[in-house]
Amino acid sequence: MSFIDFDTIIRESWNAYDPSREIVRVVDISAKVSTNHVYRITLKDKNFVVAKLTYFGKYEHFVEDHSIINTLSNNLPAPFENFLARSLMKGNTLYVHPYKSEIIDAWVVFYRPIHIKNKLPKRLNGDQIDKLAVQIAQFHKACDTVKNTLPVSSKTMKTDIYDILNLLDSEEGKYDYPLYRELIRSQCELFLANYDKLNGAELENMPVFVDWNIGNFSVTPSFKLFSRWDYDWFRMSSRMLDFYFLSRVVSDIGDKTVFSYNIDVMMQPRFLQFLKKYHQVNPLSEREILFLKESYRFFILTYVVKYGRFFFHEIFANKLQKEAFEIHLPSIDTKFDPQPLLNAIK
C-alpha cells in the first residue's frame, strides 16, 4: 500500500486529537516484517508520542481491545503497574481516530512513550529460562487478579473460529485458498469439538498478549519484566494461548530472522523446564496442558491463515501459510504429545 499517504493520515488523526500541539516530525519506526505502521511523532513542544495505524480486522474490536488494555495497565498491581504502554485519552475516553477513503479504512491510536531496558538474548541459558518462567507466572497471576475489573470482551475463541467457517461459505471467501478449503474447515471443526470436550469456555477468563516475540518487551538486568509495547494479538482468553510463543522464546534454536511456526518447540526439554518452573509459581491443570494443542491449532487457523496477509508482508505471509497448510495443520494430532508436559508438572 505504498500509494497511500500514511503520513497525512497520522497528521490528520493528531490534529483531530489536539490541534494546539503542532507536529514537527513524523518518523516511520515500523517493524519490517509486519503490515502495521508505527510512527514516532515529535511535537513542537519537544515532547513525542507513538502512533500506530492499522487497517485490518474490525474497528470496534480494536477499540474494545485497547480499552481493556488501558484499564488493565491502570489496575495491575506491583511490580507490573508500569509494565504496559498506555494509550492516550481524550476526556475520559480512549482516543482512536477512524480514517475512511475510497482506498482504505484505517484507524490510528496514540501511545505514551515507554522506557525500554534490555531485550532478551536470542538464545536463553538455563538460568534465564527459569527467571523468565517465574516472571511470566507472576504476570499471569497479576492479570488474573484484576480480570473482573476489566471491560467485557465480545470475542471468544469459538466466535473467531465460526468467523473463519462463515468466511469459507461467503461469496468473498469462496475464492480464498481453493486447494485448502476442506483442510481449513476440518481443522475448525476439530477445534470446536475438542474445545467443547475440554470445556474450554471455563478457561477463557484473562487478558493474554499471545505474541511474546523478544522484540515486543524488555527486561531489567536481573531479568524481571520491565516494559511491553506491542498489542497486535491481544485478547481475553485462556492463558494457554501465551505458551506457544513462550516455547519459541526458550527454544534451543532461539530467535531467528527466518522462522516457521512448527509445533515441535513445545516438545523440547527447554520448554519442559520453563513449564516446570512456571508451574511452581502459578500451577497449571491437566486440562490446561491438554488445551495447549487446541491453543496452537487456534493460533495457526486465526493468526496465520485468517490474518497472516495482514500481520506479515506478502513474502512472509505466503511462506507461513503454505507451511501451515502443508505441514503444521495436518501434523498437529500426531506431533503433539501431552504426556511429557504432564510429567514435567507431575
Side-chain angles (χ1 to χ4, degrees):
M1 290 198 173
S2 57
F3 53 90
I4 297 174
D5 188 352
F6 291 112
D7 188 288
T8 297
I9 298 175
I10 294 296
R11 290 176 183 274
E12 176 187 306
S13 302
W14 179 257
N15 287 335
Y17 176 69
D18 186 1
S20 70
R21 302 170 69 194
E22 183 183 342
I23 291 177
V24 296
R25 192 179 183 201
V26 177
V27 178
D28 189 343
I29 57 172
S30 308
K32 300 308 177 187
V33 298
S34 171
T35 56
N36 282 312
H37 296 260
V38 183
Y39 300 87
R40 178 186 170 109
I41 299 173
T42 305
L43 303 170
K44 195 171 184 180
D45 59 13
K46 305 269 179 82
N47 287 309
F48 74 92
V49 296
V50 175
K52 183 171 81 171
L53 180 151
T54 189
Y55 49 84
F56 72 90
K58 294 182 179 179
Y59 170 77
E60 294 79 12
H61 288 165
F62 185 87
V63 174
E64 181 181 276
D65 287 347
H66 278 75
S67 297
I68 295 171
I69 294 166
N70 250 26
T71 304
L72 176 65
S73 67
N74 286 317
N75 293 1
L76 276 172
F80 303 108
E81 68 273 26
N82 295 313
F83 179 57
L84 301 175
R86 292 176 170 89
S87 303
L88 296 188
M89 310 280 289
K90 188 162 186 176
N92 59 0
T93 307
L94 175 76
Y95 180 75
V96 182
H97 181 75
Y99 175 87
K100 189 176 181 66
S101 71
E102 293 180 357
I103 300 173
I104 189 175
D105 287 356
W107 36 93
V108 177
V109 66
F110 297 101
Y111 297 97
R112 289 171 50 191
I114 191 167
H115 293 291
I116 297 174
K117 286 203 173 179
N118 301 340
K119 291 188 178 180
L120 294 187
K122 291 188 175 182
R123 186 183 185 278
L124 277 61
N125 62 37
D127 181 57
Q128 292 167 337
I129 290 173
D130 285 345
K131 287 179 177 178
L132 180 64
V134 170
Q135 285 294 295
I136 295 295
Q138 291 176 344
F139 179 63
H140 278 174
K141 268 189 170 182
C143 289
D144 188 67
T145 298
V146 300
K147 66 185 179 184
N148 293 326
T149 70
L150 306 178
V152 175
S153 173
S154 63
K155 294 184 298 183
T156 69
M157 296 177 84
K158 286 184 78 169
T159 59
D160 274 12
I161 294 298
Y162 282 127
D163 282 346
I164 296 174
L165 289 171
N166 291 335
L167 184 63
L168 288 177
D169 293 330
S170 69
E171 189 66 27
E172 173 192 357
K174 70 181 183 181
Y175 300 108
D176 289 341
Y177 319 119
L179 299 178
Y180 304 107
R181 288 170 55 80
E182 290 313 307
L183 171 67
I184 297 170
R185 187 183 304 279
S186 66
Q187 289 292 319
C188 286
E189 291 169 350
L190 261 176
F191 172 86
L192 293 171
N194 291 334
Y195 182 95
D196 289 341
K197 183 179 178 181
L198 292 167
N199 205 2
E202 290 188 6
L203 303 176
E204 286 197 48
N205 60 358
M206 66 173 282
V208 290
F209 291 83
V210 185
D211 181 4
W212 286 92
N213 183 293
I214 66 172
N216 294 339
F217 65 103
S218 70
V219 296
T220 67
S222 60
F223 240 68
K224 295 186 182 299
L225 291 177
F226 183 75
S227 56
R228 166 93 199 213
W229 53 85
D230 184 285
Y231 306 143
D232 288 344
W233 296 358
F234 173 84
R235 63 186 302 118
M236 296 293 291
S237 194
S238 164
R239 60 176 166 166
M240 304 319 290
L241 264 178
D242 272 353
F243 280 85
Y244 174 63
F245 259 88
L246 293 167
S247 73
R248 294 168 57 80
V249 171
V250 303
S251 70
D252 192 48
I253 194 172
D255 183 66
K256 296 290 183 182
T257 304
V258 179
F259 57 90
S260 178
Y261 288 133
N262 59 299
I263 197 171
D264 308 75
V265 289
M266 288 198 290
M267 302 291 105
Q268 292 179 359
R270 291 164 65 88
F271 181 58
L272 300 184
Q273 175 187 342
F274 177 92
L275 213 59
K276 182 177 181 179
K277 194 68 177 180
Y278 177 102
H279 181 68
Q280 291 173 2
V281 179
N282 192 0
L284 295 156
S285 68
E286 178 181 356
R287 181 171 58 172
E288 286 180 305
I289 295 299
L290 297 176
F291 195 69
L292 262 179
K293 181 173 73 171
E294 298 314 314
S295 297
Y296 173 80
R297 197 189 315 269
F298 178 85
F299 165 73
I300 296 294
L301 286 169
T302 305
Y303 296 106
V304 178
V305 174
K306 183 181 180 184
Y307 289 131
R309 72 186 72 175
F310 302 107
F311 278 131
F312 308 104
H313 285 307
E314 186 176 7
I315 188 170
F316 289 100
N318 289 343
K319 172 186 177 292
L320 294 172
Q321 289 178 339
K322 188 174 190 297
E323 290 173 348
F325 295 137
E326 297 182 1
I327 302 171
H328 305 325
L329 287 173
S331 64
I332 291 176
D333 294 293
T334 56
K335 282 191 173 183
F336 183 84
D337 179 6
Q339 199 56 53
L341 285 70
L342 291 169
N343 291 342
I345 66 168
K346 299 182 180 177

